Amino acid sequence: DGGITQSPKYLFRKEGQNVTLSCEQNLNHDAMYWYRQDPGQGLRLIYYSQIVNDFQKGDIAEGYSVSREKKESFPLTVTSAQKNPTAFYLCASSIDGGSYGYTFGSGTRLTVV
Amino acid sequence: GNSVTQMEGPVTLSEEAFLTINCTYTATGYPSLFWYVQYPGEGLQLLLKATKADDKGSNKGFEATYRKETTSFHLEKGSVQVSDSAVYFCALTQETSGSRLTFGEGTQLTVNP
């Protein structure tokens, strides 16, 4: 079955460390997105990519980095510059940039210890 | 810019009660509108959508009608079940915004037996 796989489901990081969250899709979607969700809040866009080798900053890109070397993969690195990295991170993809809606992964919960 | 406003939660109902979750939006032109549902610890799932004025989206007993005149897309269900307990997000996308999804804050629904 086609879908989006995020790994790991739970991730613990020490302060000052970089960590990379994986997102892989086999839906042949062109566009991919990373969102951050904090408890009781909506989703905030971190980065998005509409085509391979191209990506744009979202609303809260500071402290994060991404790459899009393959159509199927859009990893997110949470750097030590991110002040409050503890959150639930969601990856999504869409076939045409969004007018048909997004398909979401099951998320990665990152905790800084 | 685009924005989505949802009724504040949490909402608590008894099983078989009628559900309404209000959603209004601000956008230029004709956005596409969506309702997503998020169960605990999971990603978001597309519940229903509407792409033009007066369209009615429906799925699993939920309905929402795209009202251009009131810029609204209220979610309704005639008889809720305990299994409907989740967070519901209203969202919009528009080609002029690069087809990025803009989300509301989410509404927590709890249905008691």
Side-chain angles (χ1 to χ4, degrees):
Chain A
D1 287 340
I4 296 183
T5 301
Q6 290 188 243
S7 61
K9 190 168 180 65
Y10 299 95
L11 188 57
F12 296 88
R13 189 196 89 174
K14 293 183 179 179
E15 283 194 32
Q17 286 183 337
N18 293 352
V19 63
T20 298
L21 283 60
S22 171
C23 178
E24 302 279 333
Q25 55 101 355
N26 60 2
L27 299 165
N28 201 32
H29 286 175
D30 286 317
M32 297 186 74
Y33 311 81
W34 274 106
Y35 284 88
R36 170 181 172 141
Q37 186 177 27
D38 293 287
Q41 298 188 29
L43 282 71
R44 294 184 288 170
L45 182 64
I46 304 172
Y47 269 98
Y48 64 105
S49 167
Q50 293 181 303
I51 196 169
V52 175
N53 292 322
D54 188 40
F55 49 83
Q56 288 78 41
K57 293 181 179 180
D59 301 319
I60 56 165
E62 184 175 353
Y64 300 97
S65 66
V66 293
S67 63
R68 188 83 187 279
E69 297 176 1
K70 299 185 300 181
K71 188 174 186 177
E72 304 79 22
S73 179
F74 192 41
L76 173 75
T77 297
V78 184
T79 75
S80 56
Q82 168 51 234
K83 301 300 181 191
N84 297 294
T86 295
F88 190 50
Y89 291 87
L90 286 163
C91 180
S93 70
S94 67
I95 191 168
D96 66 343
S99 62
Y100 288 94
Y102 292 1
T103 301
F104 280 85
S106 58
T108 293
R109 186 166 300 280
L110 173 64
T111 304
V112 173
V113 296
Chain B
N2 298 338
S3 66
V4 176
T5 302
Q6 288 182 234
M7 67 182 289
E8 290 190 16
V11 175
T12 302
L13 297 173
S14 297
E15 206 164 23
E16 299 184 3
F18 184 85
L19 168 71
T20 299
I21 300 178
N22 289 339
C23 172
T24 57
Y25 67 88
T26 300
T28 56
Y30 299 92
S32 296
L33 302 174
F34 305 86
W35 276 100
Y36 283 85
V37 59
Q38 183 180 33
Y39 298 101
E42 297 184 11
L44 277 68
Q45 301 174 24
L46 179 62
L47 182 59
L48 53 85
K49 68 178 182 182
T51 58
K52 61 182 187 294
D54 299 324
D55 267 1
K56 176 186 284 187
S58 61
N59 186 25
K60 299 180 182 180
F62 291 90
E63 293 183 341
T65 301
Y66 189 144
R67 302 289 188 197
K68 179 72 174 173
E69 63 276 14
T70 55
T71 62
S72 65
F73 193 55
H74 305 320
L75 182 67
E76 297 182 335
K77 186 175 185 182
S79 176
V80 293
Q81 306 299 313
V82 172
S83 57
D84 294 326
S85 298
V87 181
Y88 292 83
F89 291 92
C90 186
L92 70 81
T93 188
Q94 199 166 21
E95 288 189 13
T96 54
S97 64
S99 296
R100 290 172 42 172
L101 264 181
T102 299
F103 287 91
E105 292 295 314
T107 301
Q108 171 75 57
L109 170 67
T110 301
V111 181
N112 295 318

